[in-house]
Amino acid sequence: MRTLPDFNEPPVIETVLGLQFDSLESFSIPHFGLYWSKIVADYPKFNVQPPLTHVVEQFGAQAWKPSSLEMGLAPFPELRCWFENDTENRLIQIQKDRFIYNWRKIKETEEYPHYDYLKPKFIEEWGRFCQFSEEVKLGNVNINQCEITYVNHIEIGKGWKSYGDLNKVFSCWSGDSSVNFLPEPEMVSLNTRYVMSEKRGRLYIIMQPGIRRHDAKEILQLQLIARGKPASSSIEDIMEWFDLGHEWIVKGFTDFTTENMHEIWGRKI
Amino acid sequence: MIATAEKEPKRSWENTDISSLTSIRYSEVISLRPDYTPHWLKDALITLFHIASLPENWDSYGGPTPSSTAVNNALTFMRAVQVEDLPVPNIVPVPGGGIQIEWSIAHRELELEFLSDGSVEYLEIEDEKPIHEDKIIPANNSQLQSLLLWLTHAATRKNR
């Protein structure tokens, strides 16, 4: 039974469930192909991308260490590979310290499949990667961060018409002025972060204006990223952290946006 | 020679719902950072993406849909132009699947045509007379800078 806020037409267009682990030192270019051979029936398309940087949420002075700062010549170019399904709405991303599972909206009519549906898909694909890792003896996969991201598109004309209307979209933005000097803003971006309870991680909320290529519409791209360390590398602890991160994203999204927008998106709970 | 696209007062594609026409991934967005976005870029991108989704025969003379190469080169070019002091350019499709971007300042006009084969040509016009045309290499920043310098100096020269 769903207890978190829920919407009939949420503006989400992409969700990402990602794991970051200590770098698999023996992982090299051939492993991309070996792994692909295991999933190619489901993910027949590939795409090479630059790698994501290693990011670890730190709290206070206790934990800081320059874990990713290494000097020297890289033995081979660092890469990230995308493996996409036929319709390109499912994506697995791999690099020597990352495993990422994406759902993306490809067609306007496609509905967000909800976290409860995506969870078992992630578990299945992560299990497949762990099995592969064992088979080719990549060593222990020691998870150091879980990351969950939701990307939302808030279209112009649906609750806002100009940047002077942002108080109708975001509850934290009043749009008021003290001495009535400033005109309506020409453009606005927001960048905020919050510490999750018991320092289990951080939630980042980023709003950036943009133009969507598909239909040339002006949008507000609202991205919520929750990142933190699970209690262990077990699948139970990983999913426990993802549930927490998902809760922070859904409640954070609901808190960050106005009731006016909730009505437009058809809030059910 | 760069073909000059016919300028119509009303562009038929601007009010068209293009969402069912394009094959671009729904989630693809060009971000606009308030501290890094020239004032003209937003409107220019909206026009470019509308043009990018024109159907075949958009001009009723069998004109093809603008090629993705031409659109991507035009997009890369516009994002590279970090010059605030420009008007909103006129952007039009041209026969053969290309895109033309035109800027006018005072007595000077710069036309850039992004062709469907990936090549890029420019034409400098002064006092309504063509004075120079050539090809440029897409994403060549120094060539781009000198063309824009030529254009933006129009106002200075006129005031002398």
Side-chain angles (χ1 to χ4, degrees):
Chain A
M1 181 173 159
R2 200 180 296 278
T3 55
L4 293 173
D6 195 15
F7 301 90
N8 280 322
E9 294 176 45
V12 59
I13 58 103
E14 183 161 8
T15 64
V16 188
L17 293 170
L19 296 174
Q20 180 181 272
F21 33 85
D22 297 344
S23 206
L24 298 168
E25 290 310 324
S26 56
F27 190 96
S28 193
I29 287 173
H31 292 107
F32 287 113
L34 287 171
Y35 172 69
W36 192 25
S37 70
K38 305 284 181 189
I39 63 166
V40 69
D42 300 322
Y43 297 86
K45 300 177 180 177
F46 82 95
N47 205 317
V48 176
Q49 299 283 332
L52 299 170
T53 52
H54 201 88
V55 183
V56 176
E57 294 298 329
Q58 309 280 358
F59 292 97
Q62 94 284 1
W64 192 86
K65 54 177 183 176
S67 56
S68 60
L69 190 63
E70 292 169 5
M71 301 292 282
L73 295 171
F76 67 91
E78 298 289 343
L79 297 174
R80 173 169 46 130
C81 243
W82 285 12
F83 302 107
E84 295 168 299
N85 67 351
D86 260 331
T87 53
E88 298 180 12
N89 68 346
R90 302 297 165 93
L91 164 70
I92 291 175
Q93 307 183 54
I94 299 290
Q95 64 183 54
K96 65 192 293 187
D97 59 355
R98 294 260 191 168
F99 175 90
I100 299 166
Y101 181 78
N102 295 52
W103 167 80
R104 303 182 297 197
K105 188 170 186 166
I106 294 295
K107 291 181 182 166
E108 197 170 2
T109 49
E110 192 172 352
E111 282 185 20
Y112 162 57
H114 277 98
Y115 175 70
D116 294 338
Y117 177 80
L118 293 171
K119 251 170 77 170
K121 304 282 179 195
F122 172 85
I123 293 169
E124 183 186 335
E125 294 305 343
W126 173 241
R128 203 147 56 154
F129 180 81
C130 290
Q131 193 181 354
F132 160 76
S133 171
E134 271 180 34
E135 277 173 25
V136 297
K137 298 183 172 48
L138 287 174
N140 284 339
V141 183
N142 182 31
I143 309 291
N144 58 43
Q145 295 285 274
C146 291
E147 186 173 307
I148 175 165
T149 300
Y150 274 55
V151 183
N152 301 277
H153 284 183
I154 305 172
E155 288 174 21
I156 193 164
K158 291 187 177 174
W160 68 286
K161 288 180 181 167
S162 73
Y163 290 91
D165 285 341
L166 290 198
N167 60 324
K168 296 175 187 167
V169 181
F170 301 114
S171 48
C172 66
W173 183 270
S174 77
D176 292 341
S177 61
S178 298
V179 292
N180 290 327
F181 170 72
L182 291 171
E184 182 175 291
E186 186 182 21
M187 200 178 277
V188 174
S189 68
L190 299 170
N191 211 327
T192 57
R193 73 180 198 193
Y194 305 85
V195 176
M196 292 161 65
S197 47
E198 297 168 13
K199 296 184 178 175
R200 297 282 318 267
R202 285 194 178 86
L203 175 70
Y204 295 80
I205 303 184
I206 301 149
M207 189 282 284
Q208 184 103 325
I211 307 297
R212 190 164 57 197
R213 259 188 99 154
H214 168 78
D215 54 7
K217 275 194 179 150
E218 189 171 1
I219 58 148
L220 305 173
Q221 183 160 274
L222 184 68
Q223 196 171 349
L224 293 97
I225 305 163
R227 189 188 299 124
K229 187 175 182 179
S232 79
S233 298
S234 72
I235 190 65
E236 292 78 17
D237 284 335
I238 289 169
M239 297 321 292
E240 187 271 336
W241 198 96
F242 275 142
D243 287 346
L244 177 75
H246 173 251
E247 180 185 342
W248 269 75
I249 282 184
V250 174
K251 288 182 173 172
F253 170 81
T254 309
D255 212 13
F256 202 78
T257 51
T258 60
E259 287 182 6
N260 172 50
M261 295 307 296
H262 301 167
E263 202 172 310
I264 289 170
W265 298 322
R267 185 169 177 184
K268 294 187 282 189
I269 304 173
Chain B
M1 180 71 188
I2 297 177
T4 305
E6 189 181 345
K7 292 175 189 170
E8 295 172 0
K10 182 168 171 60
R11 297 169 173 135
S12 56
W13 60 83
E14 284 187 340
N15 295 320
T16 310
D17 177 10
I18 62 171
S19 56
S20 60
L21 305 173
T22 175
S23 60
I24 296 291
R25 186 177 299 133
Y26 187 78
S27 57
E28 193 171 344
V29 169
I30 307 300
S31 291
L32 304 172
R33 277 181 48 179
D35 57 343
Y36 205 67
T37 302
H39 75 95
W40 50 267
L41 185 60
K42 185 177 87 175
D43 290 341
L45 289 177
I46 290 172
T47 305
L48 176 68
F49 295 150
H50 269 108
I51 291 171
S53 296
L54 286 172
E56 298 284 331
N57 195 30
W58 56 269
D59 55 358
S60 72
Y61 291 101
T65 295
S67 81
S68 56
T69 307
V71 174
N72 286 333
N73 280 343
L75 176 61
T76 304
F77 165 78
M78 288 205 293
R79 294 179 80 185
V81 180
Q82 289 300 319
V83 180
E84 178 66 29
D85 194 18
L86 287 173
V88 178
N90 191 38
I91 305 175
V92 289
V94 289
I99 302 268
Q100 185 160 303
I101 300 177
E102 307 160 356
W103 264 295
S104 294
I105 296 182
H107 61 296
R108 283 184 178 170
E109 187 176 330
L110 176 65
E111 294 182 0
L112 289 139
E113 186 169 338
F114 298 85
L115 299 159
S116 59
D117 64 0
S119 61
V120 184
E121 296 176 356
Y122 72 89
L123 173 65
E124 292 171 335
I125 301 168
E126 195 163 62
D127 297 324
E128 298 182 355
K129 290 175 192 150
I131 57 165
H132 188 232
E133 64 180 304
D134 207 344
K135 283 182 183 274
I136 57 169
I137 299 163
N140 182 326
N141 279 341
S142 62
Q143 276 185 310
L144 170 66
Q145 292 293 341
S146 23
L147 285 172
L148 292 171
L149 203 61
W150 174 83
L151 179 68
T152 52
H153 274 61
T156 318
R157 185 182 164 272
K158 194 79 174 173
N159 290 336
R160 269 186 218 152

